[in-house]
Amino acid sequence: MVDRPDVSLGIRRTASGVVLVDRSCDDCASCAAGATLWCARPDPEGRDLTAVFAVERADVLVTALTAAAALAEAPATSTVLVVGDEDGPLATLVRALVPTRVLVSPDPFDATTKAALGDLEPSGRAPVVVAGADARAAVKAVRRGGHVCVGLPDARMPSVTELVQREVTLVGPRDVAGTVRRLGEPAWAAAVSAAA
């Protein structure tokens, strides 16, 4: 997943691990529109975004970071459901990013999660769901007309019919570098630790 040619987020290897880098040019039409992740003329070198971390954590951290960047593009809401591990890097980043209620569950349909949502939301479903590896399950779990945040499109995706029937909007990441800056070093360090 890391160092894909279609996005400006990349990695730089160091003697002790890897660093995420932003290769956006800050000048093309995509960058001018605020979609720096989709830069049309990425810089081969890039600018460091993070401190050094273990290469084995790269894929899980990029997945979590891009999903969190997608959440940064979603409308503000009272409750966010994260489909993932309670103590994982995605949950860690989401909690640091939004000042709203965050529920985390690996299964958005389990009885405990459904009961908690029933107590918090009139529809019994979250208005925004951050998908882990299964965007299709997230689409089924979000309230009708809600938003599902997905990182890079490696997750299991829903069909167009499922999106239309549930009136769901998929939200993708536009500016990962901005999200890293917004999160700050302590939140990123916590996510790296959670990825261990």
Side-chain angles (χ1 to χ4, degrees), residues 5 24 38-39 49 64 72 83 97 99 119 123 125-126 131 137 151 160-161 165 169 171 191 194:
S24 62
W38 310 105
C39 177
L49 289 175
V83 181
L97 195 59
D119 291 341
S123 68
R125 293 172 181 250
V160 172
T161 303
Q165 286 176 339
T169 301
V171 181

Side-chain angles (χ1 to χ4, degrees), residues 16-31:
S16 57
V18 295
V19 173
L20 291 182
V21 296
D22 173 27
R23 298 184 312 214
S24 62
C25 71
D26 293 331
D27 194 41
C28 69
S30 293
C31 290

Side-chain angles (χ1 to χ4, degrees), residues 176-191:
V176 173
T179 301
V180 171
R181 286 189 294 276
R182 189 169 153 196
L183 286 164
E185 180 57 38
W188 178 252

Side-chain angles (χ1 to χ4, degrees), residues 64-82:
L65 180 58
T66 56
L71 176 61
E73 301 298 326
T77 185
S78 56
T79 305
V80 172
L81 173 62
V82 176

Side-chain angles (χ1 to χ4, degrees), residues 2-80:
V2 180
D3 260 349
R4 295 168 47 139
D6 58 338
V7 297
S8 65
L9 180 65
I11 61 168
R12 180 176 58 79
R13 295 190 182 275
T14 70
S16 57
V18 295
V19 173
L20 291 182
V21 296
D22 173 27
R23 298 184 312 214
S24 62
C25 71
D26 293 331
D27 194 41
C28 69
S30 293
C31 290
T36 59
L37 180 63
W38 310 105
C39 177
R41 295 188 307 264
D43 175 6
E45 296 300 315
R47 298 170 295 282
D48 289 359
L49 289 175
T50 66
V52 176
F53 60 91
V55 68
E56 299 83 25
R57 299 179 188 171
D59 281 344
V60 70
L61 287 168
V62 168
T63 298
L65 180 58
T66 56
L71 176 61
E73 301 298 326
T77 185
S78 56
T79 305
V80 172

Side-chain angles (χ1 to χ4, degrees), residues 131-142:
D134 193 349
R136 187 172 186 205
V139 165
K140 293 178 180 180
V142 74

